[in-house]
Amino acid sequence: MLSATVLFALVTVSVASEGAKWKYGETDSHGYGPPDWGKVSKFCDYTAQSPINIETPVKKDASLKGLRFAIENRNRRVSGAIKNNGHAPTLTIDKLKGKARLTGGPLGYSVFMLQQFHFHFGCDYDAGSEHLVNGKPYPGELHLVTYNTKYADFDTAASQSDGLAVIGVFFEEKKKREKGKGRKHYYALLKLYYALRRIRDFGAEASVRYIALLDLVPELKDLSSFFSYKGSLTTPPCYQSVRWIVLKEPIQFPGPLFGAMRRLKNGEGGLMCGNFRPPQKLNGRVVSEFDG
């Protein structure tokens, strides 16, 4: 019988021969799991990685005020293509049909443009978010990924120290809908639900027209309560180029939306759920809080 060490070595050689693929869960013939992502990209082993466990209280910083998110078209909606890439359902913004910009606060006068948003979620309600607060996970986390427009495009910005800013939004289960309340939020959720149903299989893609992000995440209208720190992408290549803005208030998703997410397939033929990286060491970084 082969020892565990030999088996791991064989798996490592097999994965490396296929071009260093990565995945969630344990390292196997399909790819490297999170503890071994450094074999996919050296940056994943660097010291300013994300996500983290945010332990409160943290330093309150009044200079973080003035963070603004704006959608620049008449109906204040965005459109794009949502794709099952095997790691997360990801909606890439069609900037010809509506741009969204982020500026102010910890970003200063720099202007960041929304490139895409995607979701991390668990197979149950006990875990799923990438960031934790005082050791507590949420069932899921939405990431709105923006890039600094001083660079030509997202790909150029991604590896620059000031290239990216990501808004992290926790989401949890909403037990029931209050009649007559939150109707706009409900319609945005419904559009997302039908889009997810169309991309169940790995590689599937669907068009999403005019989704109201400000209704999906009402906190974007008034970014006055968040944590911020300097970190990285939470997937390979793990560039340490991200200014994180983690909203303190979670949004609520109904059970059927969680169900649509949890039926998504990953690139190995299994379920995508559980697509979150474990928290990384803070290594002396400062986490700030704004509560305006």
Side-chain angles (χ1 to χ4, degrees):
M1 181 178 291
L2 294 174
S3 69
T5 302
V6 173
L7 283 172
F8 181 81
L10 290 174
V11 166
T12 300
V13 171
S14 173
V15 170
S17 68
E18 294 179 6
K21 296 179 182 178
W22 64 272
K23 61 186 285 293
Y24 294 98
E26 297 182 356
T27 295
D28 58 25
S29 61
H30 295 293
Y32 290 111
D36 298 311
W37 283 354
K39 295 180 175 67
V40 180
S41 170
K42 64 181 181 180
F43 300 105
C44 298
D45 286 336
Y46 279 24
T47 59
Q49 290 291 292
S50 298
I52 61 170
N53 175 35
I54 300 170
E55 295 184 347
T56 62
V58 299
K59 177 186 175 182
K60 293 196 175 183
D61 189 347
S63 70
L64 298 181
K65 68 180 179 181
L67 185 63
R68 300 182 301 280
F69 182 87
I71 298 176
E72 299 179 347
N73 65 7
R74 185 176 299 175
N75 57 22
R76 301 178 74 188
R77 286 165 168 75
V78 295
S79 301
I82 189 167
K83 183 174 183 178
N84 178 341
N85 61 23
H87 302 299
T90 302
L91 193 150
T92 301
I93 303 300
D94 182 345
K95 300 181 185 68
L96 296 178
K97 295 181 180 179
K99 298 177 182 179
R101 298 181 187 270
L102 181 68
T103 190
L107 307 179
Y109 294 106
S110 298
V111 177
F112 287 69
M113 184 179 295
L114 183 64
Q115 173 72 13
Q116 52 104 322
F117 61 88
H118 61 269
F119 301 86
H120 300 270
F121 49 92
C123 298
D124 54 38
Y125 293 107
D126 293 330
S129 65
E130 296 212 295
H131 289 89
L132 312 180
V133 179
N134 296 322
K136 174 192 173 183
Y138 285 84
E141 186 173 339
L142 161 65
H143 290 166
L144 298 120
V145 183
T146 72
Y147 70 93
N148 195 331
T149 56
K150 81 177 192 179
Y151 300 108
D153 51 39
F154 174 81
D155 290 337
T156 304
S159 62
Q160 305 301 314
S161 62
D162 61 346
L164 304 179
V166 180
I167 301 175
V169 188
F170 298 121
F171 54 88
E172 60 188 3
E173 184 189 21
K174 186 172 186 177
K175 299 299 183 182
K176 61 180 181 178
R177 181 186 170 201
E178 294 182 78
K179 192 173 182 179
K181 293 185 178 181
R183 184 168 295 177
K184 290 183 178 180
H185 178 60
Y186 171 77
Y187 287 144
L189 292 173
L190 196 62
K191 183 164 287 191
L192 179 60
Y193 168 75
Y194 284 119
L196 290 171
R197 288 185 58 181
R198 299 201 300 272
I199 61 165
R200 180 176 178 178
D201 295 325
F202 170 59
E205 187 172 337
S207 176
V208 179
R209 298 186 63 193
Y210 305 121
I211 188 166
L213 268 183
L214 299 181
D215 294 333
L216 184 69
V217 188
E219 289 73 15
L220 292 174
K221 300 173 186 176
D222 179 20
L223 291 167
S224 60
S225 184
F226 58 86
F227 301 105
S228 184
Y229 75 99
K230 195 71 170 67
S232 73
L233 295 171
T234 64
T235 59
C238 305
Y239 292 137
Q240 295 182 165
S241 55
V242 180
R243 167 57 65 177
W244 277 95
I245 297 154
V246 181
L247 303 191
K248 294 164 69 174
E249 188 66 26
I251 56 177
Q252 295 188 329
F253 284 178
L257 186 53
F258 277 101
M261 287 185 183
R262 291 172 182 154
R263 284 189 287 272
L264 296 175
K265 300 291 184 64
N266 62 24
E268 294 82 57
L271 295 177
M272 183 188 290
C273 61
N275 62 339
F276 53 93
R277 188 187 193 187
Q280 306 296 297
K281 293 180 180 179
L282 194 58
N283 291 323
R285 285 175 287 170
V286 175
V287 180
S288 301
E289 174 187 3
F290 180 70
D291 197 359

